[in-house]
Amino acid sequence: DIQMTQSPSFVSASVGDRVTITCRASQGLSSSLVWYQQKPGKAPKLLIYATSSLQSGVPSRFSGGGSGTEFTLTISSLQPEDFATYYCQQGNSLPVTFGGGTKVEMK
Amino acid sequence: QVQLVESGGGVVQPGMSLRLSCAPSGYTFSSYGMHWVRQAPGKGLEWVAAIWFDGSKRDHADSVKGRFTISRDNSKNTLYLQMNSLRAEDAAVYYCVRDPGTQFFYFDYWGQGTLVTVSS
């Protein structure tokens, strides 16, 4: 199974900050990296697929990048509605595996 | 618009069985692969099972293999998860999710989730 490791586990940030979350895979991925946002009590929401493709309706302040085993999610200017937990996921092969999550909290 | 509505969750004793259902709407169900993903209280996301659009292939996580079975009835537009021999560690919110069917596995639509509690 492909192991996914996210860092950091927690981010304390302010509105307007640039936030970057990293996801590392235990083996190389073929651009199959996905990012989700989850707010308390809600289902996860797809943000980015295929490493850098923005899902329809997702604001352009979100961007994804990387290749091989290291990937990033960047929020260019944090907005109040962005305080949430973010998960990466590899879709290269079954079993699908998720990172442990990064909680973005208000400083 | 696409909607996925899960049902069937509840409180069960260890060793008992439960069947979850998912009723998608707003798209052609029989054209898409489907999965179940779960989330234990306060924990991260865990993939549980997948089934191909036509039901021809299915796969399950090692943690549930031999106890859980994913299935679908395209004539009834319904996805199922039969859960047998439930354990305390199976307690979670179970999400029904759609796979858009590209070369990679990922989930573009999620249901609201149904809570399974396993307790004696």
Side-chain angles (χ1 to χ4, degrees):
Chain A
D1 298 1
I2 300 175
Q3 308 304 316
M4 305 300 294
T5 304
Q6 263 181 261
S7 61
S9 298
F10 294 92
V11 172
S12 183
S14 301
V15 171
D17 284 353
R18 182 181 182 89
V19 172
T20 298
I21 299 167
T22 299
C23 185
R24 290 185 173 85
S26 60
Q27 58 187 264
L29 305 179
S30 312
S31 299
S32 65
L33 202 283
V34 182
W35 292 96
Y36 301 93
Q37 176 194 67
Q38 187 178 32
K39 296 183 178 178
K42 300 293 187 181
K45 170 189 169 184
L46 176 64
L47 293 179
I48 289 172
Y49 61 96
T51 301
S52 59
S53 297
L54 209 61
Q55 174 69 351
S56 176
V58 173
S60 59
R61 63 181 178 272
F62 290 92
S63 63
S67 64
T69 61
E70 187 159 329
F71 300 87
T72 58
L73 172 70
T74 298
I75 310 171
S76 60
S77 177
L78 199 65
Q79 297 303 299
E81 60 268 31
D82 301 336
F83 292 99
T85 300
Y86 295 84
Y87 293 94
C88 64
Q89 175 237 306
Q90 67 80 18
N92 217 52
S93 59
L94 295 180
V96 163
T97 45
F98 294 89
T102 296
K103 187 171 184 180
V104 178
E105 299 177 315
M106 191 176 302
K107 185 181 289 184
Chain B
Q1 72 281 23
V2 174
Q3 280 193 305
L4 306 173
V5 179
E6 302 96 337
S7 59
V11 181
V12 294
Q13 295 181 334
M16 301 296 284
S17 298
L18 207 57
R19 188 176 82 159
L20 305 183
S21 299
C22 172
S25 61
Y27 72 99
T28 303
F29 176 62
S30 59
S31 296
Y32 290 83
M34 299 293 293
H35 303 244
W36 289 96
V37 174
R38 70 184 180 183
Q39 187 170 36
K43 302 296 184 182
L45 301 168
E46 181 187 14
W47 174 80
V48 174
I51 188 164
W52 265 237
F53 70 99
D54 57 359
S56 60
K57 285 184 64 176
R58 63 182 101 184
D59 197 4
H60 300 80
D62 285 346
S63 58
V64 307
K65 205 165 284 185
R67 301 187 298 121
F68 290 13
T69 303
I70 188 171
S71 63
R72 65 190 297 160
D73 187 336
N74 284 347
S75 67
K76 294 184 177 178
N77 259 32
T78 306
L79 176 74
Y80 303 100
L81 185 67
Q82 178 66 43
M83 305 187 295
N84 299 330
S85 303
L86 281 159
R87 304 169 179 167
E89 56 265 33
D90 296 320
V93 174
Y94 284 74
Y95 294 103
C96 161
V97 298
R98 190 183 85 163
D99 187 324
T102 67
Q103 62 182 123
F104 305 124
F105 299 103
Y106 69 97
F107 316 125
D108 59 351
Y109 287 95
W110 296 62
Q112 84 287 353
T114 188
L115 178 63
V116 173
T117 302
V118 184
S119 173
S120 54

